[in-house]
Amino acid sequence: MEYSDYIVFVDESGDHSLTSIDPEFPAFSLAFCVIKKKDYCEKIIPAVQGLKFKYWGHDSIVLHEHEIRKTRWC
């Protein structure tokens, strides 16, 4: 079996319902990030692990978008 050279990350934000749209946030977005597996393994993973070791002393911490955005990670 042949596998792709790329990895895809997908995330959504907002309300995907078309029957009960939230007037406070009437938007929906869908984002994709396509990365070469080689770059992911050789550059991204080591960079993120380095950041975790630098600031927390270990790499088992989980980075959550809401906590990062609200700077509640310490």
Side-chain angles (χ1 to χ4, degrees):
M1 177 182 289
E2 188 172 325
Y3 295 103
S4 172
D5 292 332
Y6 295 87
I7 187 168
V8 179
F9 294 94
V10 181
D11 197 12
E12 48 79 24
S13 179
D15 188 0
H16 64 280
S17 172
L18 294 176
T19 57
S20 60
I21 298 172
D22 180 359
E24 297 295 317
F25 194 70
F28 176 74
S29 68
L30 187 60
F32 297 83
C33 185
V34 181
I35 303 169
K36 285 185 178 180
K37 288 178 181 176
K38 181 176 172 46
D39 291 338
Y40 183 72
C41 290
E42 295 177 3
K43 298 176 182 176
I44 296 173
I45 291 174
V48 173
Q49 280 186 314
L51 176 120
K52 290 178 175 184
F53 280 118
K54 179 178 179 179
Y55 290 101
W56 292 279
H58 58 85
D59 66 347
S60 62
I61 189 153
V62 177
L63 302 174
H64 295 106
E65 175 267 340
H66 179 76
E67 293 166 349
I68 294 170
R69 201 168 28 89
K70 297 293 184 183
T71 62
R72 293 177 31 195
W73 28 309
C74 296

